[in-house]
Amino acid sequence: MTPTLYLCVNRRTGAGSCSSAGAHKVMAALQAEIDARALSWEIRLSPCLGHCAVGPNIKAAPGGPMLHGCSDAQQVMATLLREWRQT
Ligand code: FES
């Protein structure tokens, strides 16, 4: 399975959501981080991951962490490289 980052881009009306927290903006920055490291990771847009108040949220799969507050792509990348053991 290709290492994949499922990035929630859901928008909720009248409530906090990953879209309103900047998910689309972080997607572009995160893709640049992936490209700069020549990683074979994919980013896929995801519906709601169930943690709307603390977005943008990312689930790394297979076997990766669920990350919250992913507004800083460099910080997200550092966390994934430190915590995500891909098999
Ligand atoms: S809107 Fe992203 S987790 Fe619900």
Side-chain angles (χ1 to χ4, degrees), residues 8 10 12 17-18 48-52 57:
C8 175
N10 190 48
R12 298 170 68 221
S17 67
C18 293
C48 183
L49 296 171
H51 301 275
C52 316
N57 296 298

